[in-house]
Amino acid sequence: MNFISRVIVDSAYALEASGRYRRTRNFVDDLLNNDNFWLKRYFDLFMMALILSSVFILIRDVKFQQRDFFALFNDYIISIIFLVEYTMRLWVCSNTAQIITSQYEKDRLLHRPFRLRRAVAKALYAKWKYASSLSAIIDLLAIMPFFHEMRLFRLFIVFRVFKLFRYTQNMQQFAKILGTKKFELLTLFTFAGLILFVASVLIYVMEALNPESPVDTLFDALYWAIVTISTVGYGDVTPVTFEGRLVAMAVIVSGVAVLAFATSIVVSAFTENLEPIRRNKLVQEARSMKHFYLICGFSPATLVVASKLKRMGRHVVILEKNVERVEEARQHKQLVINSDPGALETYKLLGIDIEKQVSAVLLLHDSDIENVYTALTIRSMQKPVRILSLLHDKQHRRKLKFAGADDIVYAQEIIGQLSREYSGNPIAFEALHALRAGHTDIIMDEVLVDDQMVRKIRQVKDLEIRGRHIVLVGIQSVRENRFIFNPSPDFEVNENDKIVVIAEKTVLKEYHITLHR
């Protein structure tokens, strides 16, 4: 291997091994292409502001052309910014260092001399593949005024408007939706082009020799055909001969057919992609939340839990794969995403930071098997998030624990314990019945024992609950690290213990004040 090849290969390996180079490249790539990167939104807004300002300056210069600050800002500063952006996109579109090192390692593996030309050709082809794309061509045309002072080239500023497609996700989504109908659109354009060609030739043949006809050139005929087939009909160019009017009638009917065909293509494309559009919108909404509870599966329990969390001011996102249940959840004004919570692709689609954004994951499927599978999926991502699962059959408790569920709620077990503890207490029974029936005035709440309260409250009897129409459900004991149902009067209360009680809202509010007083 000659000296030049050795220098290029060593430089490529040095770049690949450089942590600063990789971090810089990843940062630029995220800034330009990663919709989940927090700075990209501000970068897109900045670029959109530059595009719109350059167009407004161009409009101003049509009748009031002057070489002031705004003209220089438009021709040079904005163009330089776009040139830098174009260069950065050309840089991150492919990894030249990686291409060279890969070619070098491949040649070494096959015991043949390193072919520098082949590696450079691959690198240049990767750059050319991006440079020849439609978006890159628009970027290049947008910086043309920077290189030319001719007024004709200043019109390339208009191409900056097309750059808005890059910075607005709605426009990108619109283009992707129409892209699903490539065959239909190609058929439409072929049909419309054929009609335009035939109509232009016919009207030219019928009208060009008539001195009273406004159709004098083939361009006039083409202009008339486009205006007519689009059903615009300006009236500035109209046929005067009998044959020309026959052609006009045929073109008008064909134009209606073309518009109907185009409308049906667009409508069918949006109808077929309505659910993905809605899902993407909800995903963007979920990504914007700083903290929320992720509920997997929609069931009656999900509706109760989600409503309770919303009343507490918490954000809730529901994942459900069943379409009928998704519609039911939307009828109850829930933020539900139609996706399988047991699939890794779902969480890649969400693009959220589970560790930072998700307060807890609640598994509320109607099936224990689905809860187990979802828990295994979430734990496979190695994210330290708290998982709470609903248990329907006590035989599956060990499976849920093995799958990674931190807390398991078995409704029958809780009801049995409550019934046993409070079966002889009429007030408690009435309170539980009212709570179960959804009585609006009866709520279950928890009271945190702080450092001020613990000075006066040493034992359960110090809570002075008797005679206040309050039911003490239990205490989440810090010392014993478990929940104690119906603790005895002499049970010791410690700081940071949580006291769970049931009562009317007004009674609980007054009791909170009493405890802190």
Side-chain angles (χ1 to χ4, degrees), residues 24-37:
T24 304
R25 191 178 187 282
N26 291 336
F27 174 80
V28 174
D29 191 25
D30 289 338
L31 184 66
L32 298 176
N33 303 313
N34 187 3
D35 292 331
N36 298 326
F37 188 51

Side-chain angles (χ1 to χ4, degrees), residues 41 57 92 127 136 140 161 165 193 221 227 268 386 424 441 487 500 514:
R41 178 183 179 185
I57 295 172
V92 301
K127 300 296 183 184
L140 185 61
V161 177
F165 282 92
V227 170
S268 63
R386 191 171 187 84
D441 292 332
V500 181
T514 302

Side-chain angles (χ1 to χ4, degrees), residues 264-321:
S264 65
I265 292 174
V266 175
V267 171
S268 63
F270 276 91
T271 302
E272 294 171 3
N273 292 274
L274 182 61
E275 184 57 37
I277 293 173
R278 181 182 294 175
R279 183 174 60 183
N280 290 337
K281 183 177 181 298
L282 295 175
V283 167
Q284 292 297 327
E285 186 177 349
R287 288 176 182 172
S288 63
M289 297 179 184
K290 292 184 178 180
H291 300 286
F292 62 89
Y293 286 87
L294 184 64
I295 300 181
C296 300
F298 183 79
S299 63
T302 304
L303 186 59
V304 174
V305 173
S307 301
K308 176 68 175 178
L309 288 172
K310 282 188 174 182
R311 287 196 297 268
M312 296 170 62
R314 307 292 195 272
H315 295 291
V316 177
V317 177
I318 303 173
L319 298 178
E320 174 58 57
K321 63 180 179 180

Side-chain angles (χ1 to χ4, degrees), residues 418 421-422 425 427-428 431-432 444-447 459-466 469-476 483-489 491 493 498-503 508 511:
L418 289 174
E421 296 291 347
Y422 299 120
N425 191 333
I427 296 178
L432 290 174
M444 180 182 290
D445 200 1
E446 59 183 31
V447 180
Q459 296 178 334
V460 171
K461 61 184 178 182
D462 297 330
L463 294 171
E464 299 180 357
I465 288 179
R466 185 177 298 278
H469 299 284
I470 298 175
V471 175
L472 174 62
V473 178
I475 297 178
Q476 178 65 39
F483 188 82
I484 309 299
F485 278 100
N486 193 22
S488 60
F491 183 82
V493 178
K498 294 179 181 179
I499 304 169
V500 181
V501 293
I502 299 175
L508 276 179
Y511 184 62

